[in-house]
Amino acid sequence: MSIVEYHLFIKTCIICFYLDSCLILSLFRDLNEYLQYIKRQCVQQLTAKYQLISIIWIYDDVSIFINNIKYLQSIMRQFISKNPATKQVLGEFKFLNDQELNHVIQQSKEGYQINKNSSFQIKSEKLLKLADLLNQNQEKYAKLISYEIGKPISQSMAEVKKSQNYCKYYAENINKYLQPQRVKTEAKNSYVQYSPIGTIYSISPFNFPFWLCFKPIIPMLAVGNAVIHRPSDSTGLCGLALQELFTSAGFDGNIFQNAFTTAQQLDQVMAHPQIQGVSFTGSTAAGSIIGATAGKYLKRSVLELGGSDPFCILQNANVELAVQLALKSRVANCGQVCFSAKRFIVHFQYYDIFKEKLVNALEKLKIGDPLLETTELGPMAREDLITNILNQIKKGVDGGAKIVYGGKRLKENENFMLPTVVEVDEQNVLAKEETFGPLFSLIKANSNDEILRIANNTSYGLGAVVVSNDKKEIEQFVNHLEAGMVFVNEIVKSDQRLPSGGIKGSGYGRECGEWGVQNFSNIKTVWIE
């Protein structure tokens, strides 16, 4: 235990009593900010040793009772890798203490100097080596992803392949994107130069443990930065595999480091002068804390956050195509995708037929072992995730939503969930909150104008799908949808050639393509007389 952790432990005076599966936590004293943070995070995971039914928080005169929480994240918690299909624990990894973390950051200084002074050719060769290693070990890495998060193996294979192609893309375009750009002025010579800025802290989510590591990090390394990568708490094995992979490709000498850090260490990381930015993909709640902390220390941040993406089926839509795209978007990775479609806003003339065809298709889905090639829908990645979406569905039903299909676990105490179709109005909680799971929230609209209004009636702005064969309809929606990405007659997806990111509560900054290298570059103006 580090000095900081010990001090925090003493100050909080946490007292745990096992009384019929209840835990009492008391005397938080002056750590109001820390307590509020824990409340917001809703105590994500326990070290898998305890099965708790209820928690009573006692803070001064305030008692808050939280029901049905099975996992409590302690100060000294660990990364836990668990197979969601079998609930078998695959590995446990200790968090870095503050001294160990500081050592990692200090080491990244050396990595930064190495990568900063490497030529485009050397960096390109390393990226090609990375792509080659991904290709050679595609099946191995895909199985690891499926074991750790329950993603069907065919989708895990596609994730590894996408990461491989991404590395090749930047290897082939690094010179074009980072060459000085001449600008004609009154000067004898004037140009814009792209230079690295230091070490970037990159925080990845659980749902795409390979792709969402590579997506922000490859441009960072290409421009010459060093990277400290923090994987999700539940994908520690993928984090270790990525460390081995980058090192084997030549990003050694501390250019790329995997780090099992705690949420409480964010301030320590961002305060360090070697750290010059942070990239985060995940929830809006966590992103707001990370962005605020980065701003506090005047460090750059790129945030790709949650979404409640509209799927707009317009007056001149192809319904068969709409059903295919809806399935493709929402079933992938068991609906655990930031920019999968969440709100299916359907023109009234197609509403009933779309609902019928969607339910018929869902009834035929193959749900089961993620390691089988025929599986289309695997388990949700963690127990807390399936508990959360089932609670959201209950709240939605309490608020007037009607379950058309599904709405429950496939079997009790398992992480497999029936895909669910619900009918809601635009004010229902299922149309307001981000829903992470195989949930289709259907909203009937009377006109295209109403579809557009409902689509924009959200605090999010990540992606949007438009299904239509009419050019005027398409133009209206492309021009007026409030989203960072609009896909017409196709699902929203990230493409290495195009910018990826959102607006409003879905974050800021862009990844991929030439935009990806600009986020953490010193875009330097040079004027020579």
Side-chain angles (χ1 to χ4, degrees):
M1 182 183 290
S2 71
I3 294 174
V4 173
E5 286 166 335
Y6 181 76
H7 182 61
L8 184 59
F9 180 79
I10 295 300
K11 286 190 72 177
T12 55
C13 297
I14 298 180
I15 305 173
C16 301
F17 299 96
Y18 292 96
L19 299 172
D20 297 325
S21 299
C22 288
L23 179 69
I24 297 177
L25 300 175
S26 64
L27 302 178
F28 273 83
R29 294 185 181 175
D30 61 325
L31 289 184
N32 183 56
E33 182 177 352
Y34 177 77
L35 177 61
Q36 294 301 324
Y37 173 78
I38 292 296
K39 288 179 190 174
R40 286 195 301 269
Q41 296 304 305
C42 201
V43 288
Q44 300 159 0
Q45 283 184 309
L46 180 63
T47 56
K49 296 178 181 176
Y50 313 110
Q51 297 293 315
L52 303 177
I53 305 304
S54 320
I55 292 175
I56 299 175
W57 288 85
I58 300 177
Y59 178 64
D60 293 336
D61 298 324
V62 182
S63 297
I64 301 174
F65 190 72
I66 306 174
N67 291 313
N68 300 320
I69 297 179
K70 291 189 176 180
Y71 299 106
L72 173 66
Q73 181 173 342
S74 70
I75 296 172
M76 297 299 292
R77 73 195 191 283
Q78 294 176 310
F79 269 64
I80 299 175
S81 173
K82 182 184 287 189
N83 185 329
T86 65
K87 298 198 173 182
Q88 175 191 3
V89 174
L90 304 174
E92 299 184 18
F93 314 94
K94 289 185 178 180
F95 283 80
L96 297 177
N97 61 40
D98 292 344
Q99 288 76 18
E100 291 168 334
L101 175 56
N102 191 59
H103 181 63
V104 168
I105 298 173
Q106 292 294 340
Q107 285 181 313
S108 75
K109 287 185 178 181
E110 301 171 13
Y112 172 59
Q113 290 303 318
I114 293 170
N115 204 35
K116 174 184 179 181
N117 294 306
S118 296
S119 66
F120 289 160
Q121 181 179 349
I122 291 175
K123 285 182 280 195
S124 179
E125 289 172 355
K126 290 180 180 180
L127 292 175
L128 289 173
K129 177 64 174 176
L130 200 52
D132 187 50
L133 289 170
L134 285 164
N135 182 53
Q136 291 175 25
N137 298 282
Q138 184 179 9
E139 185 175 356
K140 180 181 80 172
Y141 292 136
K143 283 184 177 179
L144 178 59
I145 293 169
S146 293
Y147 273 125
E148 207 160 35
I149 69 166
K151 182 179 295 185
I153 190 66
S154 59
Q155 296 174 31
S156 296
M157 292 284 282
E159 179 177 345
V160 178
K161 183 67 174 178
K162 186 168 188 171
S163 302
Q164 174 198 341
N165 291 337
Y166 195 64
C167 294
K168 288 177 64 178
Y169 177 80
Y170 272 100
E172 294 166 355
N173 288 279
I174 184 173
N175 194 51
K176 179 176 76 172
Y177 288 160
L178 295 174
Q179 278 290 344
Q181 295 180 4
R182 304 292 172 182
V183 179
K184 187 176 181 180
T185 66
E186 296 82 5
K188 184 182 297 183
N189 187 15
S190 53
Y191 57 91
V192 177
Q193 182 183 75
Y194 296 95
S195 305
I197 57 175
T199 299
I200 312 302
Y201 186 43
S202 185
I203 307 171
S204 299
F206 73 91
N207 52 345
F208 290 87
F210 269 61
W211 168 239
L212 292 180
C213 166
F214 283 89
K215 187 174 172 232
I217 284 175
I218 295 303
M220 297 174 192
L221 295 175
V223 79
N225 295 307
V227 170
I228 295 173
H229 172 242
R230 198 271 191 200
S232 167
D233 287 18
S234 55
T235 57
L237 291 176
C238 283
L240 294 179
L242 288 163
Q243 176 71 77
E244 180 184 33
L245 181 61
F246 275 89
T247 301
S248 298
F251 290 102
D252 50 4
N254 304 312
I255 296 172
F256 174 97
Q257 295 179 88
N258 188 74
F260 295 145
T261 59
T262 70
Q264 290 75 26
Q265 289 171 323
L266 175 66
D267 199 89
Q268 177 187 347
V269 174
M270 298 315 300
H272 199 287
Q274 178 60 29
I275 303 296
Q276 289 299 311
V278 60
S279 171
F280 172 72
T281 303
S283 72
T284 299
S288 66
I289 295 170
I290 291 166
T293 306
K296 174 182 174 182
Y297 295 105
L298 299 179
K299 306 295 177 68
R300 301 185 190 190
S301 58
V302 172
L303 307 174
E304 186 166 300
L305 308 177
S308 185
D309 287 13
F311 187 102
C312 307
I313 303 175
L314 307 188
Q315 186 173 3
N316 289 286
N318 179 327
V319 178
E320 294 292 341
L321 176 63
V323 173
Q324 293 173 23
L325 295 178
L327 290 168
K328 186 178 176 183
S329 177
R330 199 58 168 142
V331 170
N333 202 20
C334 205
Q336 299 164 123
V337 184
C338 290
F339 47 61
S340 68
K342 312 274 193 321
R343 298 174 295 141
F344 296 81
I345 313 168
V346 189
H347 194 280
F348 75 93
Q349 67 184 19
Y350 299 128
Y351 185 83
D352 290 335
I353 187 65
F354 174 79
K355 178 175 65 175
E356 179 185 347
K357 288 180 177 293
L358 178 63
V359 171
N360 289 342
L362 291 175
E363 289 175 336
K364 299 172 185 176
L365 271 184
K366 294 181 175 64
I367 307 173
D369 185 351
L371 293 177
L372 295 178
E373 291 284 350
T374 54
T375 296
E376 297 172 287
L377 189 70
M380 294 195 68
R382 297 193 311 265
E383 171 64 27
D384 63 297
L385 295 169
I386 190 169
T387 298
N388 185 62
I389 192 155
L390 289 174
N391 285 339
Q392 285 181 301
I393 292 171
K394 184 181 184 303
K395 284 167 59 181
V397 171
D398 291 343
K402 177 185 175 182
I403 297 177
V404 178
Y405 179 76
K408 60 184 180 181
R409 296 176 193 257
L410 190 63
K411 291 183 180 179
E412 195 65 31
N413 298 321
E414 291 190 355
N415 286 2
F416 292 91
M417 177 180 169
L418 279 171
T420 300
V421 179
V422 295
E423 294 181 294
V424 302
D425 61 44
E426 63 176 299
Q427 299 305 323
N428 192 277
V429 65
L430 298 178
K432 291 295 185 182
E433 294 181 357
E434 179 178 33
T435 53
F436 232 52
L439 173 65
F440 299 76
S441 296
L442 308 188
I443 303 172
K444 184 189 290 188
N446 293 319
S447 65
N448 283 352
D449 287 342
E450 187 175 21
I451 293 174
L452 181 60
R453 182 190 62 75
I454 294 172
N456 287 336
N457 184 23
T458 175
S459 60
Y460 297 103
L462 192 53
V465 171
V466 175
V467 184
S468 174
N469 293 320
D470 184 88
K471 289 183 178 180
K472 288 186 177 180
E473 285 183 347
I474 292 170
E475 183 179 3
Q476 177 192 11
F477 274 71
V478 167
N479 289 340
H480 296 288
L481 277 170
E482 297 170 0
M485 300 170 282
V486 177
F487 279 61
V488 179
N489 297 325
E490 180 57 285
I491 66 168
V492 177
K493 54 189 176 183
S494 50
D495 185 292
Q496 58 200 21
R497 299 160 295 186
L498 293 168
S500 172
I503 60 173
K504 301 198 292 189
S506 294
Y508 50 78
R510 292 296 182 268
E511 295 170 342
C512 301
E514 63 185 281
W515 301 272
V517 299
Q518 295 174 6
N519 291 318
F520 299 105
S521 296
N522 175 15
I523 305 175
K524 185 186 297 183
T525 294
V526 180
W527 180 292
I528 301 173
E529 286 292 356

